[in-house]
Amino acid sequence: ARIYSDLDNRIKDRTEKLVTVNETLELEIDDRKQAEEDLRKSETRLKTILETTNEGFVQINNEAEIIDINFAMCLMLGRSRDEIIGHIATEFMDDEGLVIFRKQMSLRETGMPGAYEIMFIRPDGSKVYCLVNATPLVDKSGNKNGSFALITDITKRIEAEASVNKIKSLLSE
């Protein structure tokens, strides 16, 4: 009878331990599910912000290939998403823009964010002057993994400044 009593106690003890472990696992699973749901909501919120803002958004890899872009940037470049994704960013710039962009890319290589002005060319040849705020992206190991930029169309400001300068020039003659 004592053997059965000891066995019964061991079974009860193990069962209690298994129930405790199971409850702990269920809590961890619930926590993980909640974290995944929170992450999904955060990603959705971020995508909504990027797609509805008037600012352009561009993400490039280390080779300057465009891997993501928002609708505002498509409008600035006068091209569809399919005409931009997979292309090298410099394809949409003139020679001066190419020099500026390469200098800025070398700064991103050092991990530095930066702001600069650059001009993009639309398919019809029209120019779009932009203020670019670029930030390097780094993976978990600390390796540079491309960069992203928020881009503001400043064409109207540039054109207004040119008009003011032209008027000043005419008045000073």
Side-chain angles (χ1 to χ4, degrees):
R2 185 169 184 199
I3 293 174
Y4 292 115
S5 176
D6 286 345
L7 185 59
D8 192 40
N9 286 336
R10 286 163 79 194
I11 290 172
K12 284 180 185 178
D13 185 49
R14 292 250 173 125
T15 302
E16 286 175 13
K17 287 180 181 175
L18 286 173
V19 167
T20 302
V21 167
N22 191 44
E23 288 172 352
T24 302
L25 286 173
E26 286 177 359
L27 288 173
E28 288 177 8
I29 290 169
D30 288 345
D31 287 348
R32 181 168 285 156
K33 284 180 181 178
Q34 185 61 50
E36 288 172 357
E37 179 62 24
D38 291 346
L39 180 60
R40 269 192 294 282
K41 286 179 182 177
S42 179
E43 287 173 349
T44 299
R45 190 170 38 254
L46 179 61
K47 281 186 178 218
T48 300
I49 290 168
L50 289 176
E51 282 305 319
T52 58
T53 185
N54 291 328
E55 301 297 305
F57 169 80
V58 176
Q59 182 181 352
I60 62 173
N61 63 20
N62 287 335
E63 290 74 40
E65 178 184 354
I66 298 171
I67 57 175
D68 198 9
I69 193 165
N70 70 350
F71 182 68
M73 195 66 214
C74 292
L75 290 177
M76 282 184 218
L77 293 177
R79 293 174 166 85
S80 71
R81 183 176 175 81
D82 290 340
E83 293 173 299
I84 300 168
I85 298 290
H87 289 265
I88 303 299
T90 55
E91 292 178 36
F92 308 107
M93 302 170 194
D94 64 2
D95 290 340
E96 183 181 341
L98 181 63
V99 170
I100 293 168
F101 182 79
R102 285 186 177 151
K103 180 179 178 186
Q104 289 296 320
M105 283 290 288
S106 66
L107 292 173
R108 296 306 83 72
E109 288 293 326
T110 66
M112 291 179 54
Y116 57 97
E117 290 184 13
I118 200 163
M119 181 183 60
F120 294 106
I121 310 287
R122 290 186 176 134
D124 65 5
S126 61
K127 299 172 181 178
V128 183
Y129 297 91
C130 294
L131 174 62
V132 178
N133 285 290
T135 302
L137 293 170
V138 181
D139 66 18
K140 291 178 183 179
S141 302
N143 300 314
K144 184 178 173 288
N145 194 18
S147 60
F148 75 92
L150 294 176
I151 301 171
T152 305
D153 183 343
I154 58 170
T155 304
K156 289 180 181 172
R157 187 197 86 195
I158 296 293
E159 290 171 349
E161 288 172 359
S163 294
V164 167
N165 288 337
K166 189 173 185 177
I167 290 169
K168 284 181 180 179
S169 173
L170 290 172
L171 291 175
S172 66
E173 290 179 359

